[in-house]
Amino acid sequence: MKDKIYIFDTTLRDGEQSPGCSMNTQEKLKMARQLEALHVDVIEAGFPIASGGDFEAVREIAKAVKGCTVAGLSRATTLDIDRAFEALQYAARPRIHTFIATSDIHLKHKLKKTREQVLEQSVNAVAYAKKLTRDVEFSCEDASRSDIDYLCQIIEAVITAGATVVNLPDTVGYAIPQDYGTMIRTIREKVKNIDRAILSVHCHNDLGLAVSNSLAAVLNGARQVECTVNGIGERAGNASLEEFVMALRTRPDVLPFHSDVDTEEIYKSSRLLSTLTGMMVQRNKAIVGANAFSHEAGIHQDGIIKSRMTYEIMTPESVGIKHSTLVLGKHSGRHALKKRFEELGYTLTPEELDNIYTEFTRLADKKKEILDEDLMAILNNRFENDETSFTLSSLQVMTGTGVRSTAVLELTDGKETYVDSATGDGPVDAAYNAIERITKLNGHLVDYNIKSVTWGGDAVGEVFVKVIFNDVVFTGHAASTDIVTGSVEAYLQAVNRALSAKSAKTSDDVMIKNQANAV
Ligand code: KIV
Ligand code: ZN
């Protein structure tokens, strides 16, 4: 029997806290449900003490997700731990994940504490968390730059205090596989009670080695790997879930382990995350990039036609990339559309089908053949629009060479309709200026990307934007056959996210004020 590697997904915590990846509670819930379908073992849903928004998201995920353990992060203090458990209490399987730095660099410069003080704080934190819940994970932040004897001492002490999982992060992505593997092996050899806990690893990708380090760790005794979908996370990101899991699946000859991940849900998870965050996946990204399974060179195509084994080490189907057996077009009915979505793994409610069918017919009027990628773009657009406050009703642009462009825009927020116009340096700029006049939100566009979802003159284009409102970056995404419309819808999504963050912030402020009053 091959050893199981527990997959601890931190997309919604370490991933979400990186710039440009923020999600609101509804978006996090959607992602959490997808992670449940992906069959990860643990979903780290957030850092409850960090903000009211984080608290709410962890609580809602704890209530909704029953198939996985739900973890909440806390520093090694009673205040943090209480807040984490308050959010996690509804989970079927709650886990408190508490951490403190253990490297001398962090002790001296950040914590200004001695090793003895940190040891004592760690033990107290784990013992306190253990009174609230059975499952307690303890992380030695910056473990890969910590003194190995001190690490062993602290690990033994927290296991005695009740830690069920001990995590050794490579917080700054400094490790290389050989050293990291040796660190895990040494801990297994030296810590007397190590068999009473699961050893976990958490690697950052600053040197591009996060997945390699995680593999070295499991080869030396680690049995939990912390990772994120698309490898998102602080700075250069975390170990990519899809790369790690597919390495196990593709190389059982040298990696005698298995995970419970349903690999056919990988592509869907990747797409959903990139739509929710607006963080595009690079074309050549392993496993989920647009080029990951496309063979361009003639010699490769020839080989693939003769036998896929010549140039393909895993199939696109194994990660959930499916090819259409049915081409949909203008004459396709609701039934065919529903069936195709089911084949792609989505069961639509009658209301969802109604909404999507309307958008489908609109697209089919412009485009002869509707491909799976188009359908996914419609679906993601649709879900995204559910909670937006401003939506586009109509758009008219006048543009040309040597003249300033003008845009006339009508927006609605569900209650009222707003019409305004503006000029700009090109049609998109003019439309963005008109949005600014209506919403009264001044944004600074820092990133703007268009990529075609399919091919041909009638292809659907996806637009991704990053906009700074009041010093905070918000992303937006939309798909349309018209790039100006897509650009406006993407920008509106960023605006709506900024507005919803603003109202969450206001309620955080109220909450903080109430707490202060209560003291
Ligand atoms: O990178 C890190 O050290 C972390 C810990 C909080 C687990 O994210
Ligand atoms: Zn991290």
Side-chain angles (χ1 to χ4, degrees), residues 328-355:
L328 296 178
K330 171 167 165 164
H331 301 294
S332 307
R334 266 163 218 270
H335 185 68
L337 185 67
K338 182 165 178 265
K339 185 158 176 296
R340 187 64 203 138
F341 270 115
E342 272 164 13
E343 281 168 6
L344 290 170
Y346 298 90
T347 308
L348 302 178
T349 63
E351 299 81 60
E352 279 165 354
L353 182 64
D354 276 350
N355 290 333

Side-chain angles (χ1 to χ4, degrees), residues 10 13-15 17 44 73 97 141 167 169-172 202-204 226 233-235 237-238:
T10 184
R13 200 277 298 169
D14 215 333
Q17 79 192 35
E44 185 164 50
L73 187 68
H97 177 192
E141 191 191 8
N167 183 36
D170 180 25
T171 304
V172 289
H202 173 115
C203 298
H204 280 270
E226 305 198 351
E234 283 282 344
R235 308 180 307 279
N238 288 61

